[in-house]
C-alpha cells in the first residue's frame, strides 16, 4: 500500500531525512493511523527497522522546536530477473507538515537508496482517487502502468506506477 498526502514544492526548511530508529516507531505508527483507512499494524512497521529504505523526515532543530517525525517512507527492493526492482511500500506525512516538501524529501532519498542497490526501476501502488499522491509521483517521473481492481480491502482500485532509474 503506498499512499501519500498532497505535497508542495521544496522549501528552504526542507526537513532532514535519516534512517528510522526504534524510538521513532510510535510517532510513525500514529502518522500511519491518521493517514490511511487501512493502516499497517505496528508490527509491520517494526519489521522494517534496520532497513536502509525505512526513512523518516525530521523537522525542528532548535530548543523552541525540538525534532519531530514529520513523515516516513518504507522502500526496498525485490529480485526481478537478475536486476532488483525497487518498491515504495508506504509513504505518509503528518497532516501539519503536508505541502511543505516533506514527501518530496522522503521520496528523493528513498529513490537514492534504491538506486544504490542497482535497481533498474521502482514501482509503487497508489489509491486511484489519491490525486495529490499521483501528482507527486508524476512529478518524480512515475508513470501509470496498470490498474489493479479491488486492491484495497474496501474495494478501491490501485494504480501501479513505475519509474526507471
Amino acid at each position: 500500500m503506498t499512499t501519500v498526502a498532497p505535497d508542495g514544492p521544496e522549501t528552504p526548511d526542507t526537513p532532514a531525512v535519516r534512517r528510522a530508529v526504534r524510538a521513532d516507531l510510535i510517532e510513525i505508527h500514529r502518522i500511519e493511523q491518521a493517514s490511511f483507512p487501512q493502516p499497517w499494524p505496528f508490527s509491520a512497521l517494526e519489521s522494517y527497522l534496520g532497513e536502509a529504505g525505512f526513512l523518516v523526515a525530521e523537522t525542528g532543530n532548535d530548543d523552541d522546536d525540538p525534532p519531530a517525525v514529520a513523515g516516513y517512507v518504507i522502500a526496498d527492493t525485490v529480485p526481478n530477473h537478475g536486476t532488483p526492482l525497487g518498491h515504495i511500500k508506504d509513504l505518509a506525512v503528518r497532516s501539519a507538515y503536508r505541502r511543505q516538501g516533506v514527501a518530496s524529501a522522503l521520496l528523493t532519498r528513498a529513490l537514492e537508496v534504491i538506486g544504490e542497490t542497482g535497481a533498474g526501476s521502482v514501482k509503487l501502488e497508489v489509491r486511484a482517487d489519491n490525486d495529490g499522491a499521483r501528482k507527486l509521483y508524476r512529478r518524480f517521473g512515475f508513470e501509470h502502468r496498470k490498474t489493479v481492481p479491488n486492491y484495497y480491502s474496501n474495494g478501491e482500485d490501485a494504480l501501479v506506477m513505475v519509474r526507471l532509474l
Side-chain angles (χ1 to χ4, degrees):
M1 162 178 72
T2 301
T3 319
V4 65
D7 194 38
E10 298 281 336
T11 67
D13 298 323
T14 297
V17 176
R18 62 169 173 78
R19 244 172 150 167
V21 297
R22 184 164 297 281
D24 299 323
L25 282 176
I26 290 175
E27 288 307 309
I28 290 168
H29 189 243
R30 286 181 180 146
I31 295 167
E32 175 77 11
Q33 289 181 311
S35 299
F36 303 116
Q38 290 107 19
W40 286 16
F42 186 90
S43 60
L45 297 168
E46 186 177 37
S47 72
Y48 286 98
L49 273 179
E51 296 291 327
F54 189 3
L55 306 167
V56 295
E58 208 171 48
T59 62
N61 52 13
D62 59 40
D63 293 335
D64 295 333
D65 189 17
V69 174
Y72 64 92
V73 62
I74 299 174
D76 67 4
T77 59
V78 295
N80 184 41
H81 307 291
T83 302
L85 170 66
H87 189 190
I88 304 291
K89 295 179 170 290
D90 200 2
L91 174 60
V93 174
R94 187 183 303 275
S95 61
Y97 294 103
R98 292 179 183 159
R99 303 193 59 77
Q100 296 178 33
V102 174
S104 292
L106 286 163
L107 191 54
T108 296
R109 183 65 189 125
L111 291 171
E112 290 169 356
V113 168
I114 290 169
E116 291 166 4
T117 69
S121 59
V122 181
K123 75 168 190 161
L124 56 82
E125 297 83 20
V126 61
R127 288 180 183 277
D129 72 350
N130 192 335
D131 295 333
R134 290 181 16 238
K135 182 179 176 182
L136 171 71
Y137 296 139
R138 281 193 308 271
R139 211 171 68 228
F140 273 80
F142 284 87
E143 296 179 0
H144 176 215
R145 291 285 174 91
K146 69 179 181 177
T147 300
V148 181
N150 303 309
Y151 181 83
Y152 296 98
S153 61
N154 67 353
E156 193 173 349
D157 296 348
L159 304 182
V160 177
M161 299 182 78
V162 176
R163 172 195 156 147
L164 298 177
L165 291 178

